[in-house]
Amino acid sequence: MDLKSGYPFWAVKNGLMSVFPKLKSDVSCDVAVIGGGITGALIADELGNNGFDVVVVEQRDVAWGSSAASTALLQYEIDTHMVDLAKQYGEFHALLAYQACADAITDLRVLAEELGDVDFNMQESLYYASRRRDKAALREEFDLRVKHGFDAEWLEAADIKERFGFKAPGAILTRLAAVIDPYRMASKLLTRLVERGGNVFDRTSIETIEPAENSVTLRTPEGLQIHCKHVVIAAGYASQKWLKQSVAKNRSSYAFITDPIDKSALGLLASTMVWESARPYLYMRTTGDGRLLVGGDDDDIDIPARRDKRVDGKAKGLSKKVQKLFPELPLHPAFSWAGTFAETEDGLPFFGEHPEHGPRVQFAMAYGGNGISYSMIGAGLLRANIEGRPHPLASLFGFARVG
């Protein structure tokens, strides 16, 4: 799949960080992970650190697909409100999902500190009502979060104007959020995996997956084989090709990043990501060197050539929206891009086995706006599955909920 258009900032900034060999002979391992992006890297790291012999295969250079185009907002806030998840699955499960995402941010912080130099920074998150009619729903969402102990503050219009300098009917200010360079993190995780005895093969495609009672055999187009006890399919939006059942819809999202902006001009934007209640939503965050990264204006386009043609126009539209909120902000876009992402109907990911393949084939579909946080959760969930242990989110994040 052609997953990105334009000039994704992480790819431009970092260049090709890591190059691994192509698979040239048959290999055996405990777990094979198909996909060398941030999701596959987090899962492989979890398994490798807990005694499993892991092999990762990536059809491109590692982290060069959708991870390079990700805008990497780390939030416990799911695209679907906790209120709406509670109506669909019950308040207990809604809280479970939100709390897991909150815990994932702390876990990612620990992991980022271990790796070092992945542009990880803690942030606050301002979720504002785009329209007056959205305010009541946001207030209801705020009340449910506070009821369950999440650290958040309700801001009225006057508070938003005074502290952030723009007009909105109301907003939730969340204390727990973060940002990261996903390309650097994935590359460094996979490099560490190899240093600790694992194997990573890039520019290696898998053509067939053949599960048996006690093993799985993967075959490349050249006829090479990977023999493993379990396989995790973490191939991002290409994972759907291994399923007859359609579980998500591919869309395109657009982004641009500015030249560095002085902190005095950014104000609270330097430490606060901002996003809105409208769908699709406008969002913005900063990088460690003071650039403003702006994204949104998603559409249903899933044809790369059509997406390519829209990048410049979408970037100009996003820039106008930001300028309307912050007319004094010096916006000088440096790079713009687009990327494929997938949405599930309920905003939740899919982790675990699917009836089409059996228990030795695990899927890691970290779809939605919380992809990296979901991947951190999924790493532990899939390890539990492989080890034969229960996990509290196995049913909520499993395929049974759409069966």
Side-chain angles (χ1 to χ4, degrees), residues 170-198:
I172 302 171
L173 182 62
T174 297
R175 308 299 181 193
L176 181 64
V179 293
I180 200 168
D181 179 335
Y183 177 77
R184 287 192 74 81
M185 189 173 201
S187 296
K188 296 190 81 166
L189 282 169
L190 293 172
T191 297
R192 185 170 79 170
L193 178 72
V194 173
E195 291 170 349
R196 294 180 174 181

Side-chain angles (χ1 to χ4, degrees), residues 217-239:
T217 300
L218 313 181
R219 285 188 172 85
T220 71
E222 298 78 20
L224 297 175
Q225 299 181 19
I226 300 174
H227 301 282
C228 53
K229 297 174 184 175
H230 303 269
V231 61
V232 174
I233 301 176
Y237 312 117
S239 297

Side-chain angles (χ1 to χ4, degrees), residues 25-342:
S25 61
D26 294 353
V27 295
S28 298
C29 61
D30 294 328
V31 184
V33 177
I34 301 175
I38 186 64
T39 299
L42 285 166
I43 292 166
D45 184 73
E46 173 72 14
L47 294 170
N49 288 343
N50 287 279
F52 290 91
D53 178 21
V54 179
V55 167
V56 177
V57 289
E58 166 58 50
Q59 65 179 343
R60 303 174 183 82
D61 293 291
V62 299
W64 208 249
S66 55
S67 294
S70 169
T71 48
L73 282 69
L74 308 181
Q75 298 172 287
Y76 75 75
E77 299 164 282
I78 297 171
D79 286 348
T80 304
H81 286 180
M82 189 192 296
V83 168
D84 295 322
L85 281 179
K87 291 175 183 176
Q88 191 166 1
Y89 299 117
E91 197 165 312
F92 173 81
H93 285 101
L95 173 60
L96 201 64
Y98 266 70
Q99 188 59 57
C101 287
D103 294 341
I105 294 173
T106 302
D107 293 340
L108 285 161
R109 180 180 188 173
V110 172
L111 191 55
E113 288 172 351
E114 286 178 12
L115 294 169
D117 189 26
V118 291
D119 200 13
F120 180 94
N121 288 290
M122 297 301 297
Q123 298 262 292
E124 293 188 338
S125 173
L126 184 74
Y127 180 30
Y128 70 91
S130 309
R131 300 155 298 201
R132 189 170 298 279
R133 66 177 180 268
D134 295 343
K135 181 179 177 180
L138 255 68
R139 180 70 204 207
E140 184 183 10
E141 176 70 9
F142 167 78
D143 290 340
L144 185 58
R145 292 189 199 174
V146 171
K147 171 186 172 182
H148 290 295
F150 290 96
D151 187 2
E153 179 184 358
W154 177 256
L155 302 185
E156 291 288 350
D159 303 316
I160 299 167
K161 181 65 176 176
E162 179 183 355
R163 290 159 69 171
F164 292 92
F166 71 96
K167 293 181 180 180
I172 302 171
L173 182 62
T174 297
R175 308 299 181 193
L176 181 64
V179 293
I180 200 168
D181 179 335
Y183 177 77
R184 287 192 74 81
M185 189 173 201
S187 296
K188 296 190 81 166
L189 282 169
L190 293 172
T191 297
R192 185 170 79 170
L193 178 72
V194 173
E195 291 170 349
R196 294 180 174 181
N199 284 287
V200 177
F201 301 101
D202 60 20
R203 292 155 292 131
T204 299
S205 298
I206 299 300
E207 187 169 60
T208 63
I209 299 173
E210 300 173 8
E213 184 177 354
N214 298 310
S215 65
V216 184
T217 300
L218 313 181
R219 285 188 172 85
T220 71
E222 298 78 20
L224 297 175
Q225 299 181 19
I226 300 174
H227 301 282
C228 53
K229 297 174 184 175
H230 303 269
V231 61
V232 174
I233 301 176
Y237 312 117
S239 297
Q240 181 65 60
K241 79 173 186 177
W242 302 106
L243 287 177
K244 295 176 184 177
Q245 179 188 20
S246 178
V247 297
K249 182 178 180 180
N250 283 3
R251 307 190 70 199
S252 292
S253 188
Y254 301 84
F256 75 86
I257 195 165
T258 68
D259 289 330
I261 300 173
D262 189 86
K263 275 194 173 183
S264 61
L266 284 171
L268 288 178
L269 286 179
S271 58
T272 311
M273 62 178 68
V274 176
W275 56 303
E276 64 173 334
S277 60
R279 297 292 186 268
Y281 53 82
L282 171 75
Y283 59 88
M284 59 197 83
R285 54 153 287 197
T286 52
T287 60
D289 60 351
R291 298 172 187 267
L292 185 66
L293 195 166
V294 179
D297 209 5
D298 309 340
D299 58 35
D300 292 329
I301 299 300
D302 191 30
I303 301 171
R306 290 180 62 191
R307 183 187 65 210
D308 293 350
K309 293 178 181 179
R310 292 188 167 208
V311 171
D312 289 344
K314 291 279 191 174
K316 290 176 183 176
L318 289 168
S319 182
K320 287 180 181 178
K321 289 180 180 180
V322 177
Q323 209 74 70
K324 185 177 180 180
L325 290 174
F326 304 102
E328 305 302 319
L329 197 64
L331 285 185
H332 300 290
F335 303 101
S336 59
W337 68 93
T340 297
F341 77 103

